[in-house]
Amino acid sequence: DGGITQSPKYLFRKEGQNVTLSCEQNLNHDAMYWYRQDPGQGLRLIYYSQIVNDFQKGDIAEGYSVSREKKESFPLTVTSAQKNPTAFYLCASTLLDTGNYGYTFGSGTRLTVV
Amino acid sequence: AQKVTQAQTEISVVEKEDVTLDCVYETRDTTYYLFWYKQPPSGELVFLIRRNSFDEQNEISGRYSWNFQKSTSSFNFTITASQVVDSAVYFCALSEEGGSRLTFGEGTQLTVNP
């Protein structure tokens, strides 16, 4: 079945470490997105990519980095520069053809700094 | 810039009551898309509905109905005869034409008590 796979589901990080969250889709979607969700809050956009080897910053990109070397993959690295990385991270993807903006979401990664 | 506002942070009802979740949006585009998502405690986002800005016809799907009014920039969601399984966080979201991002409201936590 087509969909988005995020891994791991739970991730623990020590302060000062970089960690990478995986996001893979087999939907042949053009665009991919990373969102962050804090308890009791909405989703905020971190980074997004519409084509391979290109990506743009969202609203809260500081302390994060991404790459888009393949259409299917959009990993997110949480660097040590991110002051408060504990959150729930959701990856999404969509086709970019006109009139069809159905976004598919992964099941999320819960990151905790210990 | 686009913005979505869900003024109701939390709503608590008793099973079988009807409940309406409010959503107000702001956008400069004439073509845009509105969404509702449900987020159960497990965290994944469940797609409920997408409407485009040219289609103001209200929609009913089982116990769910949506009221889209461009004149007031609102896209409200009603659950009829609520059930305990409806308990979740509900998000309203907006995407602009050719848009590269989905902007979310803060979410409304709905609790349906038996």
Side-chain angles (χ1 to χ4, degrees), chain A residues 33 35 37 41-43 45 48 50 59 88 90 98-103 105, chain B residues 33 35 37 39 43-45 50 91 95 97-102 104-106:
Chain A
Y33 310 80
Y35 287 89
Q37 185 180 21
Q41 297 189 29
L43 284 73
L45 183 64
Y48 61 96
Q50 293 181 292
D59 299 321
F88 186 56
L90 280 163
T98 302
N100 181 17
Y101 285 93
Y103 294 77
F105 283 83
Chain B
Y33 299 83
F35 301 78
Y37 286 89
Q39 187 179 43
E44 79 275 16
L45 283 180
R50 179 181 77 250
F91 289 100
S95 176
E97 174 67 49
S100 55
R101 58 191 298 158
L102 194 58
F104 286 85
E106 295 292 317

Side-chain angles (χ1 to χ4, degrees), chain B residues 27-45:
Chain B
T27 177
R28 295 178 182 175
D29 278 16
T30 54
T31 302
Y32 51 89
Y33 299 83
L34 295 163
F35 301 78
W36 275 97
Y37 286 89
K38 174 182 179 179
Q39 187 179 43
S42 56
E44 79 275 16
L45 283 180

Side-chain angles (χ1 to χ4, degrees), chain A residues 39-60:
Chain A
Q41 297 189 29
L43 284 73
R44 293 181 291 169
L45 183 64
I46 305 172
Y47 268 100
Y48 61 96
S49 168
Q50 293 181 292
I51 57 173
V52 173
N53 293 322
D54 188 45
F55 47 83
Q56 289 76 42
K57 292 182 179 180
D59 299 321
I60 54 167

